[in-house]
Amino acid sequence: MRIGISCYPTYGGSGIVATELAMALAAGGDEVHVLSYALPTRLSLVNPRLFFHEVVAAHYPLFEYPPWSLALASTMVDVCHHHRLDLLHAHYALPNAVSAVLAKKILAPHPVPVVTTLHGTDVTLIGNDPSYLPTTRWGILESDAVTAVSASLRDATVDQLCLAGKAIEVVPNFIDPERYEQARHHPGARRWAREGEKLLVHISNFRPVKRVLDVVKVFAQVAARLPARLLLVGDGPERARIEQHCREHGDCDRVVFLGNFPVIEEVLVGADLFLLPSETESFGLSALEALSCAVPVVASRAGGLPEVVVDGENGFLRPVGDVDGMAAAALSLLTDPERHRRFAAHGRQWATTRFAKAAIVERYREVYARAIAAARG
Ligand code: GMT
């Protein structure tokens, strides 16, 4: 198959999923063209069947806001035409799905089927804003196949965008079990810990929805009871506020800000606990990555997180904002080595059997085949 994949290039789950999928499809023999405004962080172009097309929105003095979605649609048309693509796969509804549908219409009478994958915030935080809702809804409705990364997101999409009649298939995020196997012999996250310290990790793009302040507050309660260190991985709008909080509370020597760190298993392997107290989370790829590295998770019971973290088996789920409950859950794991060992083993097993890359990539291939068949009538 010749597939075009459009995604955001920056740190964030949707770009990571799109990139890992692109590389896996190319490794399996498909020709894949990735379209974005910059080279996605994890995209390695060493496979000769993998191509990158930078989308450039030309500036003009009249444009206060250059129409990026139109530039994306134009690039899609160009790539579809010149590389004879069989299919466009848009990751994130806004504007990727809308631009893909526009490209499909422009390419008539030889349209290319569009598959859209919804990642979460494209529906629940921004796609449902009145300024975007009609176009988000249209992009989804006009896609030939739509997937969502969790049942929770599928239901929220149907509900919030009034899409009761639209088929949305759940295809979850995935992990590559091999990455942990290769990293488990490295010092991993222990590089940042002193002898005898418990190591807690949080990875995100530091947006308000991630509630990073809750992470620091949970950690403070843990660190009051036992020697511990917190690794904060990623960067984003909340980082300065969190750093300020740590300075004011004298936590700077125990809280390490690593910034964006592309090789995620190197900060997960060997860690004792992963924290993800998000306000909402359609799936929680970072939680799955932690489980796959045998790191139990304490998270909020929000969105699709209960589909990823099995409460009482490989982690604990507590209500959003329940800092005390999360701290108690964290301590119950960190002070009980036998329970911790059981949770870690369950997480690794759960992640690799339910969410292994090979099976999920195959699910996407099946969705592609159905979309192509349906478009051919
Ligand atoms: O988490 C973010 O803010 C980034 C966002 C994205 O689209 O890049 O992540 C969303 O997509 C990921 C991949 O499907 C999911 O694992 C995340 O749960 C989801 N984030 C939210 O729903 C907040």
Side-chain angles (χ1 to χ4, degrees), residues 61-117:
L62 198 62
F63 297 156
E64 180 149 359
Y65 307 103
W68 146 257
S69 3
L70 301 185
L72 176 58
S74 298
T75 309
M76 285 169 164
V77 169
D78 184 72
V79 175
C80 282
H81 189 68
H82 290 287
H83 296 276
R84 294 177 290 116
L85 298 192
D86 298 305
L87 178 117
L88 277 172
H89 187 175
H91 285 262
Y92 213 84
L94 215 62
N96 297 286
V98 178
S99 298
V101 170
L102 194 55
K104 175 172 91 166
K105 305 265 178 205
I106 294 169
L107 285 161
H110 303 292
V112 167
V114 171
V115 173
T116 290
T117 289

Side-chain angles (χ1 to χ4, degrees), residues 300-365:
S300 47
R301 191 177 288 110
L305 278 169
E307 296 170 51
V308 181
V309 179
V310 189
D311 192 24
E313 299 285 346
N314 55 34
F316 287 114
L317 297 170
R318 295 291 177 265
V320 173
D322 181 10
V323 168
D324 292 348
M326 290 184 198
L331 282 162
S332 79
L333 272 168
L334 297 173
T335 55
D336 183 343
E338 174 47 30
R339 175 185 274 185
H340 186 277
R341 196 202 52 71
R342 240 185 317 113
F343 274 47
H346 184 288
R348 167 82 185 147
Q349 173 75 9
W350 167 256
T352 51
T353 48
R354 284 251 179 164
F355 304 100
K357 179 165 85 169
I360 307 295
V361 170
E362 211 35 56
R363 297 267 310 275
Y364 276 118
R365 277 212 180 88

